[in-house]
Coordinates of all heavy atoms in Angstrom, one line a residue:
R66 N 9.9 8.0 -51.6 CA 9.2 6.8 -52.0 C 10.3 5.7 -52.2 O 10.0 4.6 -51.9 CB 8.5 7.1 -53.4 CG 7.3 8.0 -53.2 CD 6.7 8.4 -54.5 NE 5.4 9.2 -54.3 CZ 4.7 9.7 -55.3 NH1 5.1 9.5 -56.5 NH2 3.7 10.5 -55.0
F67 N 11.4 6.1 -52.8 CA 12.5 5.1 -53.0 C 12.9 4.5 -51.7 O 13.2 3.4 -51.5 CB 13.7 5.7 -53.8 CG 14.8 4.8 -54.1 CD1 14.7 3.7 -54.9 CD2 16.0 4.9 -53.5 CE1 15.6 2.8 -55.2 CE2 17.1 4.0 -53.7 CZ 16.9 3.0 -54.6
G68 N 13.0 5.4 -50.7 CA 13.4 4.9 -49.3 C 12.4 4.1 -48.7 O 12.7 3.0 -48.1
E69 N 11.1 4.3 -49.0 CA 10.1 3.4 -48.5 C 10.2 2.2 -49.1 O 9.8 1.1 -48.6 CB 8.7 4.1 -48.7 CG 8.4 5.4 -47.8 CD 7.2 6.1 -48.3 OE1 6.5 5.7 -49.2 OE2 7.0 7.0 -47.6
W70 N 10.4 2.1 -50.5 CA 10.5 0.9 -51.2 C 11.7 0.0 -50.6 O 11.6 -1.2 -50.4 CB 10.8 1.3 -52.6 CG 11.0 -0.1 -53.4 CD1 10.0 -0.8 -54.0 CD2 12.2 -0.6 -54.0 NE1 10.6 -1.9 -54.7 CE2 11.8 -1.8 -54.7 CE3 13.5 -0.2 -53.9 CZ2 12.8 -2.5 -55.3 CZ3 14.5 -0.9 -54.4 CH2 14.2 -2.1 -55.2
I71 N 12.9 0.7 -50.3 CA 14.0 0.0 -49.8 C 13.6 -0.7 -48.4 O 13.9 -1.8 -48.2 CB 15.2 0.9 -49.6 CG1 15.7 1.2 -51.0 CG2 16.2 0.3 -48.8 CD1 16.9 2.4 -50.9
A72 N 12.8 0.1 -47.7 CA 12.5 -0.3 -46.3 C 11.5 -1.6 -46.3 O 11.5 -2.5 -45.6 CB 11.7 0.8 -45.5
T73 N 10.7 -1.6 -47.5 CA 9.7 -2.8 -47.6 C 10.5 -4.1 -47.9 O 10.1 -5.2 -47.7 CB 8.7 -2.5 -48.7 OG1 9.3 -2.2 -49.9 CG2 7.9 -1.3 -48.2
K74 N 11.7 -3.9 -48.6 CA 12.5 -5.0 -49.1 C 13.1 -5.6 -47.8 O 13.2 -6.9 -47.7 CB 13.5 -4.7 -50.1 CG 12.9 -4.2 -51.5 CD 12.1 -5.2 -52.1 CE 11.6 -4.8 -53.4 NZ 10.8 -5.9 -54.1
N75 N 13.7 -4.9 -46.9 CA 14.4 -5.3 -45.7 C 14.1 -4.3 -44.6 O 14.9 -3.2 -44.7 CB 15.9 -5.6 -46.0 CG 16.4 -6.4 -44.7 OD1 16.2 -6.1 -43.6 ND2 17.3 -7.4 -45.1
E76 N 13.3 -4.4 -43.7 CA 12.9 -3.3 -42.8 C 13.9 -2.8 -42.1 O 14.2 -1.6 -42.0 CB 11.7 -3.8 -41.9 CG 11.1 -2.7 -41.0 CD 10.1 -3.2 -40.2 OE1 9.6 -4.4 -40.4 OE2 9.6 -2.5 -39.3
I77 N 14.8 -3.7 -41.4 CA 15.9 -3.3 -40.5 C 17.0 -2.6 -41.4 O 17.3 -1.3 -41.2 CB 16.4 -4.4 -39.8 CG1 15.3 -4.9 -38.7 CG2 17.6 -3.9 -38.9 CD1 15.7 -6.0 -38.0
A78 N 17.5 -3.2 -42.4 CA 18.6 -2.8 -43.2 C 18.1 -1.4 -44.0 O 18.9 -0.5 -44.1 CB 19.1 -3.8 -44.1
G79 N 16.9 -1.7 -44.5 CA 16.4 -0.5 -45.3 C 16.2 0.7 -44.4 O 16.6 1.8 -44.9
N80 N 15.9 0.7 -43.2 CA 15.6 1.9 -42.4 C 16.9 2.4 -41.9 O 17.1 3.6 -42.0 CB 14.8 1.5 -41.1 CG 13.3 1.3 -41.3 OD1 12.8 2.0 -42.3 ND2 12.7 0.4 -40.6
Y81 N 18.0 1.5 -41.7 CA 19.2 2.1 -41.4 C 19.9 2.8 -42.6 O 20.6 3.8 -42.5 CB 20.2 0.9 -41.0 CG 20.1 0.5 -39.5 CD1 19.7 -0.9 -39.2 CD2 20.2 1.5 -38.4 CE1 19.5 -1.1 -37.7 CE2 20.1 1.2 -37.1 CZ 19.7 -0.1 -36.8 OH 19.6 -0.4 -35.5
T82 N 19.6 2.1 -43.8 CA 20.1 2.9 -45.0 C 19.6 4.2 -45.2 O 20.3 5.2 -45.5 CB 19.9 1.9 -46.3 OG1 20.4 0.7 -46.0 CG2 20.4 2.6 -47.5
V83 N 18.2 4.3 -45.0 CA 17.6 5.6 -45.2 C 18.1 6.7 -44.1 O 18.4 7.8 -44.4 CB 16.1 5.4 -45.1 CG1 15.3 6.8 -45.0 CG2 15.6 4.7 -46.3
Q84 N 18.2 6.2 -42.9 CA 18.7 7.1 -41.8 C 20.1 7.4 -42.1 O 20.4 8.7 -41.8 CB 18.6 6.3 -40.4 CG 17.1 6.1 -40.0 CD 17.1 5.1 -38.8 OE1 18.2 4.8 -38.2 NE2 15.8 4.8 -38.4
F85 N 21.0 6.6 -42.6 CA 22.3 7.0 -42.9 C 22.4 8.0 -44.0 O 23.1 9.0 -43.9 CB 23.2 5.7 -43.4 CG 24.5 6.0 -43.8 CD1 25.6 6.3 -42.9 CD2 24.8 6.0 -45.2 CE1 26.9 6.6 -43.4 CE2 26.1 6.4 -45.6 CZ 27.1 6.7 -44.7
C86 N 21.6 7.8 -45.0 CA 21.5 8.8 -46.1 C 21.1 10.1 -45.6 O 21.6 11.1 -46.1 CB 20.6 8.3 -47.3 SG 21.4 6.8 -48.1
H87 N 20.0 10.1 -44.8 CA 19.5 11.4 -44.2 C 20.7 12.1 -43.5 O 20.8 13.3 -43.6 CB 18.3 11.1 -43.3 CG 17.1 10.9 -44.2 ND1 15.8 10.8 -43.5 CD2 16.7 10.8 -45.4 CE1 14.9 10.7 -44.5 NE2 15.6 10.6 -45.6
A88 N 21.3 11.4 -42.7 CA 22.4 11.9 -41.8 C 23.5 12.5 -42.6 O 24.0 13.6 -42.4 CB 22.9 10.9 -40.7
L89 N 23.9 11.7 -43.7 CA 24.9 12.2 -44.6 C 24.6 13.5 -45.3 O 25.3 14.4 -45.3 CB 25.3 11.2 -45.6 CG 26.5 11.5 -46.6 CD1 27.7 11.7 -45.9 CD2 26.6 10.2 -47.6
V90 N 23.4 13.5 -45.9 CA 23.0 14.6 -46.6 C 22.8 15.9 -45.6 O 23.2 17.0 -46.0 CB 21.6 14.3 -47.3 CG1 20.9 15.7 -47.7 CG2 21.6 13.4 -48.4
S91 N 22.4 15.7 -44.5 CA 22.1 16.7 -43.5 C 23.6 17.2 -43.2 O 23.7 18.5 -43.1 CB 21.4 16.2 -42.2 OG 20.2 15.7 -42.4
V92 N 24.5 16.5 -42.8 CA 25.9 16.9 -42.4 C 26.6 17.7 -43.7 O 26.9 18.8 -43.3 CB 26.8 15.8 -42.0 CG1 28.3 16.1 -41.9 CG2 26.3 15.1 -40.8
V93 N 26.4 17.2 -44.8 CA 27.0 18.0 -46.0 C 26.3 19.3 -46.1 O 26.9 20.3 -46.3 CB 26.8 17.0 -47.2 CG1 27.2 17.9 -48.5 CG2 27.7 15.9 -47.2
I94 N 24.9 19.2 -46.1 CA 24.2 20.6 -46.3 C 24.7 21.5 -45.1 O 24.9 22.7 -45.4 CB 22.7 20.3 -46.3 CG1 22.3 19.6 -47.6 CG2 22.0 21.7 -46.2 CD1 20.9 19.2 -47.7
L95 N 24.6 21.1 -43.9 CA 24.9 21.9 -42.8 C 26.3 22.5 -42.9 O 26.6 23.8 -42.7 CB 24.8 21.1 -41.4 CG 24.9 21.9 -40.2 CD1 23.9 23.0 -40.1 CD2 24.8 21.1 -38.9
I96 N 27.3 21.7 -43.3 CA 28.7 22.2 -43.4 C 28.7 23.3 -44.5 O 29.3 24.3 -44.3 CB 29.6 21.1 -43.7 CG1 29.9 20.1 -42.5 CG2 30.9 21.6 -44.2 CD1 30.6 18.9 -42.8
C97 N 28.0 23.1 -45.6 CA 28.1 24.1 -46.7 C 27.3 25.3 -46.3 O 27.8 26.5 -46.6 CB 27.4 23.4 -47.9 SG 28.1 22.2 -48.8
C98 N 26.3 25.3 -45.5 CA 25.4 26.4 -45.1 C 26.3 27.3 -44.1 O 26.4 28.5 -44.2 CB 24.2 26.0 -44.3 SG 22.9 25.5 -45.6
V99 N 26.9 26.6 -43.2 CA 27.7 27.3 -42.2 C 28.9 28.1 -42.9 O 29.2 29.2 -42.6 CB 28.3 26.4 -41.1 CG1 29.5 27.1 -40.3 CG2 27.3 25.8 -40.2
A100 N 29.5 27.3 -43.9 CA 30.6 28.0 -44.6 C 30.1 29.2 -45.4 O 30.9 30.3 -45.4 CB 31.2 27.0 -45.5
L101 N 28.9 29.2 -45.9 CA 28.4 30.4 -46.6 C 27.9 31.4 -45.7 O 27.9 32.6 -46.1 CB 27.2 29.8 -47.6 CG 27.7 29.0 -48.9 CD1 26.4 28.4 -49.5 CD2 28.5 29.8 -49.8
L102 N 27.4 31.0 -44.6 CA 26.8 32.1 -43.6 C 27.9 32.8 -42.9 O 27.5 33.9 -42.5 CB 26.0 31.4 -42.5 CG 24.5 30.9 -43.1 CD1 23.9 30.1 -42.1 CD2 23.8 32.0 -43.5
V103 N 29.2 32.3 -42.8 CA 30.2 33.0 -42.2 C 30.6 34.3 -42.9 O 30.9 34.2 -44.1 CB 31.4 32.3 -42.0 CG1 32.6 33.0 -41.4 CG2 31.1 31.0 -41.0
G104 N 30.2 35.5 -42.3 CA 30.5 36.7 -43.1 C 29.5 37.1 -44.2 O 29.6 38.0 -45.0

């Protein structure tokens, strides 16, 4: 909902911000998961 609110304030910048946050969270989680799954 917060991401949707940001997008309504500035559609282009807001969408890029949300996408960047999603990508960052995804990369961090994936790295942690791979580290834990090894062995």
Side-chain angles (χ1 to χ4, degrees):
R66 290 177 180 173
F67 182 67
E69 292 171 359
W70 177 79
I71 292 175
T73 58
K74 294 297 181 181
N75 188 320
E76 184 174 354
I77 297 176
N80 285 332
Y81 278 124
T82 302
V83 171
Q84 291 170 9
F85 173 78
C86 290
H87 281 189
L89 180 62
V90 169
S91 298
V92 169
V93 171
I94 292 176
L95 185 60
I96 291 172
C97 292
C98 289
V99 171
L101 290 170
L102 285 173
V103 174

